[in-house]
Amino acid sequence: MNILVSGLVNTETSAAVRGFPVAYYPIDYPFFGVETTVSGVAYNLSKALVTLGDRVRLTSMVGEDFQAAYIRNALEALSIGTDWIRPSLRQTPCSVVLYDPQGRRQIYCDLKDIQETAYPFTPHLLEGVDLVAACNINFNRPLLRLAKELGKPVATDVHVLSNIYDDYNREFMECADILFLSDEGVGEDYQAFLWQLAHTYGCEILVMGRGSRGASLYQRKTDAIIDLPPAFAGKVVNTVGAGDALFSAFLHFYGNGWGAVDALNRAQMFAACKIAVSGASNGFVTEEEVQRRMGESGRQ
């Protein structure tokens, strides 16, 4: 599949901590527990999709600093083009992730001035694209409208949502053909929340990631919700990036002809492999490895 991915790319430093809340001490020495990588939702999606075998066109914005050069080098190493990475920001966004031995994480994300900066989208950018994966960041709002005008299917992940009429995310939900979210802000009656979303917006596929409780899938063609159990692929090291892994792998499998349930099953296995490794953009496996793990686990 040819997928346009548009959204945040940043540097990320992850640090292992003893537990939450973090107690004060002047210095700690978590040997091999601190790592800096390229991350951001758009980078995570792009790397995952390329690993699975898709072709990615990535649009984002960075600054003109050493972090931007680091990001460009990482993209080139993955054979992801940098022609659409614009140096429009005063500084490149960055984040810090603290994670404990149970895999819980606390994220500090500095977006710099990306939320106030426009990206120059053109119809030419969408030529030959099968799917637009538009992250829920401000500069993608014109892309949503352009994709709909050109008849391109749109997938988006609104992450944590507690109100189906959320002002920030409403435009993304209105334009999405495939809509993902987490259950973190939903409360106990997650199915009622899914029903409300499904019957308020026009998405064909709606997926709620539920962490250790699995995932839930709504399909408009059946007007039904299906709960899937979680997948397991070893010890959970760091759950940051699990949602991005689930989203990208679903787009890959569903877009390459798998039914929605089978695609989500495989996406869960992909995400389970990913969270056995620290770092939001680390731990991605190939489609062949996902299939092998599916066979071993009996989730065919």
Side-chain angles (χ1 to χ4, degrees):
M1 265 211 316
N2 294 311
I3 302 176
L4 173 67
V5 177
S6 185
L8 177 67
V9 176
N10 59 266
T11 58
E12 175 189 279
T13 298
S14 58
V17 298
R18 301 177 188 181
F20 292 113
V22 178
Y24 172 77
Y25 32 84
I27 190 169
D28 199 359
Y29 295 92
F31 292 104
F32 294 98
V34 178
E35 182 180 15
T36 297
T37 60
V38 179
S39 188
V41 176
Y43 178 79
N44 299 342
L45 298 181
S46 298
K47 183 176 180 180
L49 289 165
V50 167
T51 302
L52 287 165
D54 296 298
R55 293 171 295 280
V56 168
R57 187 174 301 170
L58 173 60
T59 61
S60 190
M61 293 184 285
V62 295
E64 294 188 88
D65 45 29
F66 77 90
Q67 292 99 327
Y70 180 44
I71 287 169
R72 290 181 185 277
N73 288 338
L75 291 171
E76 289 167 1
L78 293 168
S79 298
I80 297 174
T82 60
D83 293 348
W84 301 281
I85 307 296
R86 302 281 179 153
S88 307
L89 308 180
R90 285 182 289 175
Q91 292 181 17
T92 299
C94 57
S95 63
V96 174
V97 179
L98 308 181
Y99 66 95
D100 71 4
Q102 285 72 48
R104 296 178 301 171
R105 82 276 191 193
Q106 189 170 34
I107 304 171
Y108 300 84
C109 187
D110 185 350
L111 295 174
K112 308 302 183 185
D113 55 329
I114 200 169
Q115 289 291 67
E116 298 82 45
T117 307
Y119 188 96
F121 292 108
T122 64
H124 172 69
L125 187 59
L126 276 70
E127 289 180 3
V129 167
D130 300 312
L131 174 71
V132 174
C135 305
N136 64 333
I137 196 163
N138 273 339
F139 75 78
N140 273 340
R141 296 184 190 279
L143 175 62
L144 297 174
R145 296 187 288 273
L146 180 60
K148 302 311 282 188
E149 289 171 9
L150 297 176
K152 303 292 184 179
V154 173
T156 193
D157 185 345
V158 294
H159 304 287
V160 180
L161 190 72
S162 57
N163 177 2
I164 66 168
Y165 304 108
D166 180 83
D167 287 337
Y168 181 87
N169 286 298
R170 183 181 301 171
E171 188 173 10
F172 291 91
M173 294 187 286
E174 288 173 345
C175 292
D177 299 287
I178 300 173
L179 177 62
F180 268 61
L181 73 156
S182 164
D183 71 340
E184 288 187 60
V186 169
E188 289 300 317
D189 197 354
Y190 66 92
Q191 288 206 353
F193 196 90
L194 277 174
W195 281 117
Q196 287 181 310
L197 271 179
H199 293 104
T200 301
Y201 301 101
C203 52
E204 295 297 320
I205 298 286
L206 178 56
V207 175
M208 179 182 288
R210 303 182 59 230
S212 62
R213 292 176 289 186
S216 297
L217 167 71
Y218 170 85
Q219 296 185 77
R220 187 160 305 280
K221 69 178 183 180
T222 60
D223 195 32
I225 295 173
I226 298 174
D227 290 333
L228 279 70
F232 299 98
K235 180 183 177 182
V236 174
V237 174
N238 186 347
T239 59
V240 68
D244 295 343
L246 187 74
F247 181 46
S248 55
F250 180 85
L251 297 184
H252 167 77
F253 287 105
Y254 185 69
N256 282 284
W258 293 86
V261 175
D262 288 334
L264 186 53
N265 256 318
R266 282 154 180 77
Q268 286 186 283
M269 182 59 71
F270 182 83
C273 292
K274 185 262 160 294
I275 62 176
V277 177
S278 181
S281 60
N282 296 327
F284 299 135
V285 297
T286 64
E287 179 176 328
E288 291 73 21
E289 179 65 9
V290 171
Q291 295 289 67
R292 186 183 70 80
R293 297 286 188 107
M294 291 289 292
E296 290 179 349
S297 67
R299 286 178 68 98
Q300 298 286 12

